[in-house]
């Protein structure tokens, strides 16, 4: 009975976190961009500092008509937002938040699980682009497919370097084996992983699949109302997951001063700082073309990730 209650409580906490954390990231993005770019709009809703902007956006999406194009593949068109969103909920189950088993479900092959499931989320964009009966949407889907060749390999290689260092592919196991001197040793791998993750999320400067100045909004052009809101929620959930994984793999997760029972605070704090960096990059850097992204991946990210694996192998041999 106690085991059932424990599982139910963990699921409840994960569902609340999955709904709240992405919304907080979205609200923060409104405010950070408003300050950095001098935008006045997000500062009005609700009065002081536009505190109700998130509520206003939710009401707006709920009131909009749910439109399905006449020539669209209706079933795939309607299923695409769920396919884009749900994988991030599954990944959140496997990310350790604090010590002593503070994780939804400890998975022995945790790294392989999270990378594989995150890759499924991309299918939502491909389905939306193909099913919308819109050439701009199709172009967005094709660009999404093209980016797959740029970011998947460096993400996998850098995650593998951490697994080599820890001697396990379990995420809680990696944190148990973590040493602070790993941070400077694995910093290059962390930067590569984070950059590749931005490309997977189609976040600036790697947002060519949703380039509004070229293809309207890419694969999501024909979506309205709550279905469009689900794609936005998937984007912000992806930010939380990417920052959480980077924290666990390269920044020590719940390790920090005065760990103990407040270890989860360090995980959330590090994740929040990285989420701010994601928003900061959106404001600061122009969009890369698809060929520029491929060049960056194959001439920079992949060689750096291979060098990280080689360095990890040398260090492990020397230590052993």
């Amino acid at each position: 009975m106690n085991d059932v209650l424990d599982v139910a409580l963990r699921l409840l906490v994960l569902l609340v976190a999955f709904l709240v954390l992405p919304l907080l990231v979205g609200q923060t993005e409104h405010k950070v961009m408003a300050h950095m770019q001098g935008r006045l709009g997000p500062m009005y809703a609700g009065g002081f500092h536009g505190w109700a902007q998130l509520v206003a956006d939710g009401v707006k999406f709920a009131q909009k008509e749910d439109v399905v194009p006449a020539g669209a593949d209706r079933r795939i068109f309607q299923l695409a937002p769920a396919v884009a969103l749900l994988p991030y909920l599954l990944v959140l189950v496997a990310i350790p938040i604090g010590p002593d088993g503070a994780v939804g479900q400890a998975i022995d092959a945790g790294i392989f699980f999270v990378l594989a499931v995150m890759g499924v989320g991309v299918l939502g964009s491909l389905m939306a682009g193909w099913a919308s009966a819109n050439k701009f949407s199709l172009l967005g889907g094709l660009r999404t497919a093209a980016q797959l060749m740029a970011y998947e390999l460096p993400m996998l290689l850098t995650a593998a370097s951490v697994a080599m260092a820890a001697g396990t592919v379990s995420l809680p196991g990696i944190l148990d084996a973590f040493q602070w001197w790993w941070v400077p040793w694995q910093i290059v791998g962390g930067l590569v992983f984070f950059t590749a993750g931005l490309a997977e999320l189609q976040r600036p400067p790697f947002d060519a699949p949703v380039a509004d100045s070229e293809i309207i909004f890419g694969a999501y052009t024909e979506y309205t109302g709550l279905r469009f809101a689900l794609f936005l929620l998937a984007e912000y959930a992806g930010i939380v997951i990417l920052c959480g994984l980077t924290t666990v793999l390269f920044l020590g997760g719940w390790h920090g001063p005065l760990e103990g029972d407040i270890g989860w605070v360090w995980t959330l704090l590090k994740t929040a700082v990285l989420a701010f960096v994601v928003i900061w990059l959106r404001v600061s850097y122009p969009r890369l073309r698809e060929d520029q992204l491929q060049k960056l991946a194959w001439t920079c990210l992949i060689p750096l990730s291979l060098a990280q694996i080689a360095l990890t192998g040398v260090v492990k041999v020397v230590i052993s």
Side-chain angles (χ1 to χ4, degrees):
M1 187 64 178
N2 290 333
D3 292 340
V4 174
L5 291 176
D6 180 63
V7 171
L9 181 59
R10 290 186 182 216
L11 289 177
L12 179 61
V13 171
L14 286 171
L15 286 174
V16 172
F18 184 72
L19 293 175
V20 172
L21 293 179
L23 294 179
L24 289 177
V25 172
Q27 176 80 343
T28 303
E29 183 167 59
H30 275 101
K31 304 307 175 185
V32 171
M33 293 180 65
H35 283 292
M36 287 186 171
Q37 298 181 326
R39 296 184 177 189
L40 298 179
M43 295 298 183
Y44 278 93
F48 175 73
H49 209 256
W51 65 269
Q53 181 62 48
L54 194 64
V55 177
D57 285 341
V59 173
K60 175 186 69 176
F61 286 125
Q63 289 180 334
K64 287 188 174 182
E65 183 181 1
D66 181 18
V67 177
V68 179
D73 188 319
R74 180 174 290 270
R75 289 186 178 180
I76 295 180
F77 183 89
Q78 294 175 336
L79 185 61
V83 174
L85 179 61
L86 290 180
Y88 294 117
L89 175 59
L90 296 178
V91 172
L92 186 61
V93 171
I95 296 179
I97 305 300
D100 300 325
V103 59
Q105 179 62 50
I107 300 175
D108 291 338
I111 288 182
F112 297 131
F113 174 80
V114 298
L115 293 179
V117 175
M118 285 179 66
V120 173
V122 180
L123 292 178
S125 297
L126 299 178
M127 292 167 62
W130 181 84
S132 293
N134 181 302
K135 293 182 179 179
F136 292 108
S137 299
L138 182 59
L139 284 172
L142 291 174
R143 289 185 178 188
T144 299
Q147 289 198 173
L148 281 167
M149 296 183 291
Y151 62 76
E152 286 288 359
L153 188 55
M155 283 191 76
L156 179 61
L157 291 175
T158 50
S161 72
V162 178
M164 288 175 59
T168 177
V169 292
S170 166
L171 294 179
I174 288 173
L175 288 177
D176 289 338
F178 175 80
Q179 303 291 330
W180 279 111
W181 61 273
W182 285 11
V183 175
W185 165 29
Q186 296 284 345
I187 190 64
V188 172
L191 292 173
V192 171
F193 183 88
F194 190 71
T195 303
L198 291 177
E200 179 170 13
L201 298 178
Q202 302 172 19
R203 291 286 302 186
F206 311 117
D207 60 335
V210 292
D212 52 355
S213 61
E214 303 168 17
I215 52 176
I216 309 178
F217 205 62
Y220 317 131
T221 296
E222 296 291 350
Y223 283 86
T224 60
L226 292 178
R227 295 188 194 279
F228 182 77
L230 287 178
F231 278 116
L232 291 182
L233 183 61
E235 178 182 348
Y236 292 127
I239 294 175
V240 174
I241 295 302
L242 171 63
C243 296
L245 281 177
T246 305
T247 295
V248 169
L249 294 177
F250 300 98
L251 298 178
W254 46 262
H255 288 284
L258 303 175
E259 295 172 2
D261 294 333
I262 64 168
W264 59 272
V265 173
W266 296 113
T267 302
L268 295 181
L269 182 60
K270 295 172 187 178
T271 301
V273 171
L274 290 177
F276 174 80
V277 172
V278 173
I279 299 170
W280 179 23
L281 292 174
R282 174 177 179 177
V283 178
S284 303
Y285 290 95
R287 178 183 305 122
L288 269 66
R289 301 192 310 265
E290 284 295 330
D291 62 298
Q292 292 173 323
L293 172 59
Q294 297 295 334
K295 183 178 180 180
L296 174 68
W298 290 94
T299 64
C300 183
L301 298 184
I302 292 177
L304 285 176
S305 58
L306 290 172
Q308 182 68 68
I309 286 184
L311 175 62
T312 301
V314 171
V315 173
K316 290 292 287 183
V317 169
V318 170
I319 291 178
S320 61

